[in-house]
Each structure stands twice: as C-alpha cells, then as structure tokens.
Amino acid sequence: MKIIGIDSSGLVTSVAIIEDETLVAEYTVEHKKTHSTTLMPMLSEIVKMSETSLQEIDAVAIAAGPGSFTGLRIGSATAKGLAYSLNIPIVPVPTLAALAYNVQFFDGIICPIMDARREQVYNGLYTFINGEFTEIIGQRALAVEELITGLNAEFSGKNIVFLGDGVPVYKHIINEKLETTHFYAPSNISKQRAGSVAVLGKMYYNRNIIETAKDHEPVYLRLSQAERERNEKQLENRE
C-alpha cells in the first residue's frame, strides 16, 4: 500500500510517501514561504526522486484540521485534486493527532498545542498504552489558562510533553503555572511532519475511516478571524 501524506495546517509545509512499513520520502520546509508556492513543487519533487508513479497511490492522507484557515484550504484543495484525478479516497487525519504521533512511545501525556491567537490554542491530549496510540481528549480550541488548569487538576504527577507552534508563544505561561513535570519536544519532531500524517492515515484507512474527494472538508473548530470580526461588528451595530 502506498499513501501520500500532506500537512499544510501550520507554519510548516510537509509532504511524504509511505509504502507499507517504509517511509519512502518526506519533504518538510518551514522558511518564509507560503503553502501555495511550496506544496505542489514539493510533492512533484518527492514523486520524482522516489520514482513513484501517482497511479500506484492508494490514498491521500491529509492533516484535516484544525490549523491555519488558508493552509487547511490549500492542503484540502491539493488532496481533493489528487483524489479526483486518481479516483482514490482521502483519509482525514486530525492535525493534533498527527502532531502528537511525532512523539513515539513517550511515557506520559502528549500535549500538542497550536497557536489559535487571542491567548487560545488548538489542543488534544494523547498517550501510548501498551504501544498503542490513544486519544485521551479530542481536538478542541480553548484558552491557554484553561488548558493549564485542566492539566494541573487531571494529570498531577504525570509527565507531560509539549510540542507545536504554540510552544514558543506560550512557553513562559506553561513554565510559570503548570505544576507537574513537563518537557518540550526537540525541534526535529516539534512541528508537523507529513510522515506522521501518512502513517496514521494508513491506520485509519485500514479502519475504513475515509472520505471521497467530494465529501472532504477541512475541520476548523472555530470561526476565522474575518468571520469573528464581522460578527463583533454586527453586535456593536445592534447595540
């Protein structure tokens, strides 16, 4: 089985190809470029370098959200185009689950956080139980303070590892207010990796968690900034 993995949900652009148990290729960039200019050239490059025919691909695994609204739309459009043209399914992989999957077999709580602005983060909580990747709390958007309060209450005495683009933004708050032992993932696994999306995608594919290109839509969890500002203005006008 061959699966293409795509993640453009955050600051990183990442694409990968897996075949059975092998990560055939992965191309990851985080350097002052937009997903619209990097994603397709990167995909073309790994297909070429790995001598992969697109006709061999069985599914497209996409980091389905939450994340950057623009990034999610670009990734979704790319996945839809591939799935349509190749007549293959899309495997929607929760962004935070894929991010957490970077930290293999950590003996504790894996806590990915993505900056959602306004002192909020996108977050989920995960762990490995007897080697099996397990969701403790599903994806959500919440205030950083609320997250820390919950971790102090529910996971006192547990080791917690943080990763994601929310870490450099909120690390000072975590260090100040989190009472339990915590760590930060090293830079090589701290951001999105399409290899993790592809491997989880294979797992979900085998569980028949798939969508058609027509049905696939990104998962935003909350309104965009433009929509929030519009609603705020409408409320102001009513007052």
Side-chain angles (χ1 to χ4, degrees):
M1 170 178 283
K2 286 189 178 183
I3 292 179
I4 286 177
I6 297 172
D7 197 325
S8 58
S9 61
L11 301 174
V12 169
T13 309
S14 187
V15 294
I17 298 172
I18 64 166
E19 180 176 9
D20 298 327
E21 305 304 318
T22 300
L23 176 60
V24 176
E26 185 178 49
Y27 192 166
T28 300
V29 173
E30 181 185 357
H31 185 68
K32 302 177 184 178
K33 295 184 182 294
T34 63
H35 299 308
S36 60
T37 62
T38 57
L39 185 53
M40 286 306 297
M42 289 167 61
L43 182 56
S44 297
E45 184 67 17
I46 66 167
V47 167
K48 177 182 176 182
M49 290 296 291
S50 64
E51 300 180 341
T52 298
S53 167
L54 287 177
Q55 303 305 318
E56 302 170 359
I57 301 299
D58 296 293
V60 181
I62 178 73
S68 157
F69 284 73
T70 301
L72 290 176
R73 286 193 289 267
I74 292 170
S76 176
T78 303
K80 280 174 170 283
L82 285 170
Y84 268 125
S85 62
L86 300 173
N87 193 29
I88 57 177
I90 291 174
V91 186
V93 178
T95 298
L96 291 155
L99 189 53
Y101 200 71
N102 289 352
V103 187
Q104 292 287 311
F105 307 117
F106 175 72
D107 184 21
I109 308 302
I110 306 170
C111 184
I113 53 174
M114 296 176 66
D115 185 17
R117 308 294 176 85
R118 298 189 176 192
E119 300 292 313
Q120 290 197 333
V121 292
Y122 298 123
N123 166 257
L125 298 179
Y126 307 86
T127 192
F128 282 86
I129 298 177
N130 297 324
E132 183 175 347
F133 184 63
T134 303
E135 177 184 279
I136 301 172
I137 295 177
Q139 300 187 138
R140 56 193 177 162
L142 76 169
V144 179
E145 298 275 359
E146 183 182 352
L147 170 62
I148 295 173
T149 298
L151 292 174
N152 283 333
E154 298 295 329
F155 300 102
S156 177
K158 296 283 188 178
N159 292 328
I160 301 175
V161 63
F162 291 87
L163 70 161
D165 61 33
V167 168
V169 181
Y170 301 112
K171 187 175 183 178
H172 65 289
I173 300 177
I174 296 169
N175 287 339
E176 178 184 349
K177 299 191 175 182
L178 186 62
E179 298 168 358
T180 192
T181 304
H182 59 280
F183 312 91
Y184 299 97
S187 58
N188 61 310
I189 56 171
S190 66
K191 302 284 182 64
Q192 285 84 344
R193 296 281 300 271
S196 293
V197 175
V199 172
L200 273 182
K202 179 187 173 186
M203 185 187 306
Y204 294 164
Y205 180 94
N206 290 334
R207 297 174 184 172
N208 203 35
I209 303 174
I210 58 176
E211 298 174 338
T212 65
K214 179 181 178 182
D215 292 337
H216 173 70
E217 294 293 340
V219 176
Y220 296 117
L221 285 189
R222 67 175 197 172
L223 297 176
S224 69
Q225 182 176 346
E227 290 171 319
R228 292 196 305 271
E229 290 176 352
R230 184 177 64 245
N231 290 345
E232 288 170 1
K233 287 181 179 179
Q234 289 175 345
L235 287 173
E236 289 175 359
N237 291 335
R238 288 174 186 171
E239 293 174 355

